[in-house]
Structures are given as structure tokens and as C-alpha cells.
Amino acid sequence: MKILICDAFDAGLPERLKVYGEVTEDKKNLPDAHIALVRSKTQCDKTWFDQAKQLKMVIRGGVGMDNIDVEYAKQKGVIALNTPEASSISVAELAMALMIALPNKIIPGHQGMSQNKWLKKECERTELYGKTLGLIGAGRIAREVAIRAKAFGMKIIAYDPSFRQSDFAEIKASLEEIWKESDYISLHVPLTESTKEIINKNTIAKMKDGVIIINTARGKCVVEQDIADALKSGKIGGYGNDVWYNDPPASSPLIGAPNTILTPHIGASSNENLLRISDIIVEKIKEFVSQKSSCC
Ligand code: NAD
């Protein structure tokens, strides 16, 4: 059994997997690999699967499956799995960090002090307390964000076509209500036809002036140029962003736009989450090996 680790995982994972077979991080081994482990970097498209002639299973450490051609994997008889349950706390904490840092002017305050500039007036702050947070998507990560935002005294509303009620948010029947009522909007949806470019100049126009938007979901859920324009005009008061139209971006209108905090897709990258992902992967491989020990 050959296990190919394609992307960045917890440093202890290779050692833990050795008991199940030969472990390699050299991508030249793709044609001989029986199991491949990827995160968001490796694009498992048709060409990739065609090269992986011995592949029986690909595991995506993380939530989305948008970098894996799941349909083609099925046709090739390759099991494609992910670890959706692992990352919720890690992503929710980053969303909260962005949501706290933007209105508290942490970045401009720090940048000023680093140059010994006293930007007290420029760093006028606003509180989260008493504000309305609109969640788009009411799944696992949204729940963790809501729990934390409630502790700050925020009112939580959400839109999600899969839910009519929830124990952590007032579920709204339409996005229109989210745009109209929210002081903060946080995206927690997969990238699908219905969520692609869900935030664009038309929907931004319906939002409150000065709204703060947090995107830890997917870059293509927004139109980056429309966000940058609205930041420049002041319609959007702040944008906390972890995910990009292209990951990493060759260029983006968000880079250099005012009132942003931009991170390099680190939502799932907490040490604790990488360890949780490793634990789940080890369990899945153990199960696979015990079922298929005769096949490789
Ligand atoms: P989840 O499946 O638990 O929740 C997603 C929710 O979105 C579901 O309840 C679904 O019904 C809802 N939804 C689907 N289409 C919708 C629409 N058009 N409008 C409103 N709601 C809609 O997923 P999760 O674990 O909460 O993860 C959410 C997303 O976060 C992932 O799909 C991924 O894109 C992103 N994510 C990002 C990082 C990161 O590193 N920044 C890490 C993990 C996940």
C-alpha cells in the first residue's frame, strides 16, 4: 500500500500512517499511489485522476470538495472523502477574529504605532454589542460563529434554504431580509451555482451603509471588484477576507482596497484543526485497510 501526501498536513501524520504502508510526499509517486491525501492546493481533475492509475481512495483534509472531480472519481472507482466535521471551530475563530479586529481598528492602530504615529482619532471604534449579524448559511461553521457572536451581545439572523428554524439564529425567509437588517454579514456556504457571486454590486446596494462583511467561505461567492469599489465609496465599512477568487491571487482588486483585513486562506490551518484532520484520516485509512487488505 502506497500513501501519497500531496499537500500540507500535521507534521506527525506521515509517521502515524507508516503502519498502513509506504508513505511518500514525492508527487512523482502519483501513478503508483493507492491512497492520496490532499487539502485545497492539489487540483484533482480528470488529468490528475488519469495519472493516478492505482488510486483507490482520495481524502480531502477539509470541508469543500470543489478541488476534486467527485463524479470522475466515482467513474474511476476511486473513493473520495473529506473531513467536514474537523474544521468548524478553526474557521469560526478566524471569522470572529476578523469581525472583532475590523471595527476595533486593530490593524491601522498597530500599523500607526509601529511607525510611532498616534492615530487616536483615525482609530475611532465601534462595538459588536447590540449589532445584528447576518449569517449566509446556517451549517456547522455558522453555528460556531453564532455561539461566539452571541457572547458579544450580537443579535443573530441567518438565511439558509435548508433550515426553517434554528436554536442559534433567527432564520429569515429570504436574503433580502439579511441585506436589509445586518450590520455584519458573514458567509458560511459552499461554492455552488446558487452561492456564486452572491455578494455583488446589486446585493451590496441593498445593504446598510457601512456594513462589515466577513468571507471565510469561498472567494467566488463574491465579486471582488464590486467589494473593492464599495470599500472605496464607504458603502462597505470593512471586509475581512480569507478566501480568493484565485487561490493564491496573481492580483486582486481587494489588495490595496481600504478597510480590509486579508489572510491567505488560513481558516482551516490551526494546529489543533490539522491534528483533528489527521486523527480522522488515520481512522479512515485504518478502516479502508482493514476492509481491503487483500486488494493492494
Ligand atoms: P455546512 O455544509 O455545515 O453548511 C453550509 C450550509 O450552507 C448548509 O446548511 C447549506 O444548506 C447552506 N447553503 C447552501 N446553499 C445556500 C444558499 N444559496 N444560501 C444560503 N445557504 C446555503 O458547511 P460548513 O462546514 O459550515 O462550511 C461552510 C463553507 O465554509 C464550506 O463549504 C467551505 O466553502 C468554507 N470553508 C472555508 C475554510 C477556510 O479555510 N476558509 C475551511 C473550511 C470550510
Side-chain angles (χ1 to χ4, degrees):
M1 173 81 66
K2 194 175 264 187
I3 303 169
L4 173 62
I5 302 181
C6 300
D7 296 333
F9 284 87
D10 173 62
L13 184 61
E15 198 55 40
R16 293 175 71 186
L17 291 177
K18 275 183 186 162
V19 64
Y20 302 109
E22 183 191 339
V23 183
T24 172
E25 297 182 50
D26 183 347
K27 288 180 192 150
K28 280 193 213 114
N29 288 300
L30 181 60
D32 305 325
H34 301 103
I35 296 176
L37 307 180
V38 304
R39 289 189 60 215
S40 56
K41 195 173 172 199
T42 299
Q43 293 305 309
C44 306
D45 52 17
K46 289 190 174 70
T47 314
W48 187 89
F49 277 109
D50 288 342
Q51 286 168 25
K53 294 193 188 317
Q54 301 297 323
L55 201 65
K56 304 275 182 283
M57 179 158 79
V58 55
I59 307 179
R60 152 88 161 99
V63 179
M65 291 291 264
D66 29 332
N67 57 323
I68 298 182
D69 189 333
V70 177
E71 202 43 53
Y72 198 57
K74 210 168 155 189
Q75 279 177 37
K76 292 244 155 194
V78 177
I79 301 166
L81 304 173
N82 59 353
T83 62
E85 60 277 41
S87 306
S88 309
I89 289 173
S90 181
V91 182
E93 286 198 11
L94 182 69
M96 285 308 296
L98 297 170
M99 210 186 303
I100 294 165
L102 277 163
N104 283 296
K105 304 284 166 62
I106 303 288
I107 302 285
H110 168 77
Q111 283 170 338
M113 288 315 302
S114 302
Q115 298 161 37
N116 203 6
K117 284 186 191 155
W118 192 253
L119 303 179
K120 197 171 168 100
K121 275 203 187 91
E122 293 85 342
C123 289
E124 198 177 274
R125 300 165 46 231
T126 55
E127 296 175 357
L128 296 179
Y129 181 80
K131 304 294 189 311
T132 297
L133 168 62
L135 300 170
I136 307 189
R140 284 175 296 254
I141 297 172
R143 164 182 287 275
E144 297 300 332
V145 170
I147 289 167
R148 286 153 182 79
K150 258 188 199 164
F152 277 76
M154 299 185 90
K155 176 186 174 189
I156 319 293
I157 60 174
Y159 171 74
D160 187 320
S162 302
F163 294 96
R164 280 173 196 269
Q165 56 183 36
S166 140
D167 57 356
F168 62 83
E170 183 189 330
I171 300 289
K172 296 289 184 181
S174 72
L175 274 172
E176 300 302 311
E177 291 165 85
I178 302 291
W179 308 141
K180 210 170 109 194
E181 294 178 31
S182 303
D183 302 296
Y184 290 75
I185 292 175
S186 193
L187 287 163
H188 301 292
V189 285
L191 178 65
T192 64
E193 273 314 304
S194 73
T195 61
K196 191 174 176 215
E197 300 188 347
I198 202 166
I199 295 196
N200 57 58
K201 58 174 181 262
N202 297 323
T203 53
I204 291 168
K206 296 175 185 173
M207 295 175 193
K208 284 189 182 180
D209 291 344
V211 62
I212 289 180
I213 301 175
I214 308 296
N215 186 7
T216 56
R218 283 292 177 263
K220 288 179 180 148
C221 293
V222 308
V223 179
E224 289 183 343
Q225 186 64 57
D226 293 355
I227 301 250
D229 292 345
L231 283 162
K232 279 180 202 143
S233 74
K235 172 71 189 178
I236 295 179
Y239 185 56
N241 185 58
D242 185 45
V243 284
W244 299 85
Y245 204 86
N246 288 308
D247 229 30
S251 69
S252 164
L254 294 171
I255 296 168
N259 300 320
T260 57
I261 302 181
L262 308 173
T263 52
H265 201 160
I266 53 171
S269 301
S270 70
N271 291 332
E272 293 82 353
N273 184 41
L274 293 179
L275 202 53
R276 275 194 294 271
I277 288 173
S278 287
D279 290 347
I280 296 170
I281 285 174
V282 171
E283 273 312 303
K284 288 189 194 294
I285 291 180
K286 185 177 167 191
E287 203 181 313
F288 177 78
V289 169
S290 69
Q291 282 168 3
K292 304 256 178 185
S293 51
S294 58
C295 81
C296 309

